[in-house]
Amino acid sequence: MDPVMHLRLRLFGLEWLGQVAEIPISAMQAQFGADGTRARGLARGEDHSRIVPEREEIRVTEEIELPAPAATSEPLVAGTEALLQRALGHADVRGQTVRRVDWWLALESGEQVTRRVVFREPTSDVRRMVFVLRGKIERLALDSAAVGLGVALSGLCSEYAHQGNLWQLGPRRQRELDDAIEQLNTRAGEPQVYRVVEVQPWSRIPERQVALVAYGS
């Protein structure tokens, strides 16, 4: 309960749960409103709220020491890709996608450079991860050479599904579409697919602005 409520209960001489449990519900409601009703219920062992288990976030970390100090982006990108491959091969990550990647660089000076990437769509594609991180790595202005590199994957979730394009563009696809619609119309004996065509777009009457025309006519 709110600390102010605790203070007020003590001012009323209520120091123990048993004392609160014995107070009529109307008195608790009058003094504390909905919080008073809940406090009295808890004091009497009544709690109907749902139990929400705490989930431990899985975080997979991989680190390496660079074979030689690096001051250019290419060895850092290559090392990052290798670390991501290793991290994605971890048992806790297999079959899942990643929402967040934390990347860090240990410098000869003892400093650490960190970057975080949060993907709009969770992914398990190393090439996509590297593509996003490469841009951040290439924009770095390091005060000293890098001697260590690390990544941490978190925000794991089930594989993310994409809805592919229903129909790819191109003359071949267009012919296939025309043939499919023609077969559909033939089976039904009448047009089944229509197009919206502008007729009088300047008209104030919506029904006159456009019309439905059988596809292919």
Side-chain angles (χ1 to χ4, degrees):
M1 296 296 107
D2 187 275
V4 175
M5 184 175 177
H6 277 272
L7 176 61
R8 292 182 61 193
L9 287 171
R10 289 188 172 88
L11 291 175
F12 286 125
L14 303 173
E15 298 282 346
W16 303 93
L17 288 175
Q19 294 174 300
V20 176
E22 293 173 357
I23 295 177
I25 189 172
S26 58
M28 289 295 289
Q29 285 178 332
Q31 288 293 330
F32 304 105
D35 286 341
T37 303
R38 176 162 171 74
R40 180 180 180 274
L42 292 174
R44 296 167 64 91
E46 301 168 0
D47 184 5
H48 303 292
S49 59
R50 296 182 62 184
I51 297 176
V52 180
E54 183 178 355
R55 294 185 178 181
E56 181 181 358
E57 183 182 26
I58 297 175
R59 183 180 172 91
V60 177
T61 302
E62 290 287 346
E63 294 180 277
I64 57 170
E65 290 185 5
L66 298 176
T72 59
S73 62
E74 284 310 312
L76 301 181
V77 172
T80 299
E81 183 172 2
L83 287 178
L84 289 172
Q85 292 278 15
R86 278 165 45 180
L88 288 170
H90 197 278
D92 289 334
V93 185
R94 289 189 199 126
Q96 301 195 73
T97 54
V98 176
R99 190 176 295 276
R100 184 171 61 248
V101 175
D102 290 296
W103 178 91
W104 64 90
L105 203 59
L107 306 181
E108 281 185 316
S109 62
E111 297 179 4
Q112 189 177 74
V113 177
T114 61
R115 293 292 183 272
R116 169 172 288 185
V117 172
V118 179
F119 301 105
R120 186 176 62 179
E121 295 179 359
T123 182
S124 58
D125 187 347
V126 174
R127 290 175 299 178
R128 182 182 171 200
M129 295 179 181
V130 172
F131 176 79
V132 177
L133 284 167
R134 178 188 287 272
K136 296 184 177 292
I137 294 171
E138 290 178 346
R139 289 193 294 269
L140 289 176
L142 301 178
D143 296 330
S144 60
V147 294
L149 185 63
V151 298
L153 310 184
S154 56
L156 305 183
C157 54
S158 58
E159 291 195 21
Y160 192 85
H162 286 275
Q163 172 66 54
N165 290 333
L166 179 63
W167 208 267
Q168 299 293 334
L169 299 177
R172 178 181 174 185
R173 293 295 188 185
Q174 185 63 49
R175 287 195 300 271
E176 292 176 354
L177 177 61
D178 293 340
D179 292 342
I181 293 175
E182 184 177 355
Q183 292 176 17
L184 181 63
N185 293 341
T186 301
R187 267 201 312 269
E190 59 183 3
Q192 299 295 300
V193 180
Y194 293 82
R195 293 183 296 117
V196 178
V197 179
E198 284 190 345
V199 180
Q200 297 179 6
W202 57 85
S203 177
R204 296 181 179 179
I205 303 174
E207 290 80 2
R208 295 182 180 177
Q209 295 176 3
V210 295
L212 285 176
V213 178
Y215 188 90
S217 61

